[in-house]
Amino acid sequence: MFRMRESRVLRKMRAGEVATCIKLNLADARNAELAAMCGFDCIWVDMEHVPNDMSDIENAIRAAKIYDCDTLTRVERGPYSNLIHPFEADSAGIMVPHLMSLEDAKQVVYYTKFHPIGRRPIDGGNADGKFCLVDGQEYVKQANEQRFVVTQIEDPEPLAELDEICALPGIDMIFFGPGDFSQGIGTPCDFSNPEIA
């Protein structure tokens, strides 16, 4: 029976180990392949600040998988399709920028995790489901176990609900963004501000 590719990042973290990741701003898939060859557990590709399209993301994912390297795709905020397209291309994780509240986090989970956690639309006919070769029920189960959601806290607004956001099933990691946070507190790029620490 076919299975989804196991996440290297989650495998290491669940074993109590540190997983390494490098951000790539260059669209050429050879950069992804080179980073994977260098031993990184994950490459971070971007659709928020970098003019990558889904073809660029798919090529990076395929290049990284050759060396059992995960891909983390920072998505654009917008319709739910922006959240799931990288997963369907077999990105091991997505990073959602500018999470603004607990309610926002619940919506992210709703669209990125399958039942019983959320209601992500089901389509196992893409690279993550091995083009329908992973059994449907196994696909749903394995996706919830082997794909991760990172949310970015880069604004002061969600801080009041941060504990609840961190405890929410389906939010797997939190990433602090000091640049935009510094702007949100009125001191752009002043990283010595004690509120950032």
Side-chain angles (χ1 to χ4, degrees):
M1 182 170 71
F2 283 90
R3 296 184 54 80
M4 292 184 78
R5 185 185 160 276
E6 182 184 18
S7 166
R8 179 170 164 176
V9 167
L10 293 177
R11 180 174 64 235
K12 290 189 84 168
M13 290 178 65
R14 289 170 180 160
E17 300 172 20
V18 173
T20 59
C21 184
I22 185 169
K23 184 171 188 284
L24 301 178
N25 278 359
L26 304 172
D28 191 321
R30 289 174 290 192
N31 295 304
E33 185 174 0
L34 181 59
M37 288 173 63
C38 287
F40 288 98
D41 300 307
C42 185
I43 59 165
W44 166 1
V45 294
D46 203 306
M47 297 184 80
E48 182 192 21
H49 291 292
V50 182
N52 286 324
D53 61 25
M54 274 310 299
S55 294
D56 299 320
I57 301 301
E58 286 179 305
N59 286 332
I61 292 167
R62 283 192 289 267
K65 286 194 307 187
I66 294 169
Y67 298 95
D68 186 35
C69 181
D70 283 0
T71 302
L72 171 64
T73 305
R74 179 159 56 183
V75 299
E76 299 174 283
R77 289 304 301 255
Y80 80 87
S81 296
N82 290 3
L83 303 174
I84 63 170
H85 282 166
F87 277 140
E88 291 177 349
D90 212 13
S91 186
I94 62 164
M95 181 185 292
V96 181
H98 291 283
L99 190 82
M100 297 303 284
S101 66
L102 177 59
E103 190 56 39
D104 191 11
K106 288 178 179 178
Q107 282 295 304
V108 168
V109 170
Y110 183 82
Y111 286 124
T112 58
K113 297 291 185 174
F114 292 120
H115 176 82
I117 303 167
R119 292 273 298 276
R120 174 182 156 187
I122 297 175
D123 183 350
N126 296 296
D128 64 333
K130 304 240 188 287
F131 307 101
C132 291
L133 293 175
V134 177
D135 172 77
Q137 291 181 354
E138 280 298 308
Y139 171 69
V140 167
K141 179 178 179 283
Q142 291 168 28
N144 280 348
E145 292 172 356
Q146 295 300 325
R147 299 297 174 260
F148 56 92
V149 174
V150 180
T151 55
Q152 287 191 264
I153 303 296
E154 44 190 346
D155 300 278
E157 288 84 353
L159 290 186
E161 300 176 302
L162 189 58
D163 288 340
E164 292 91 343
I165 291 167
C166 290
L168 188 65
I171 300 295
D172 302 297
M173 297 178 212
I174 300 289
F175 182 93
F176 178 64
D180 284 327
F181 189 87
S182 71
Q183 180 172 233
I185 60 174
T187 58
C189 300
D190 177 8
F191 301 116
S192 64
N193 188 308
E195 287 188 56
I196 293 175

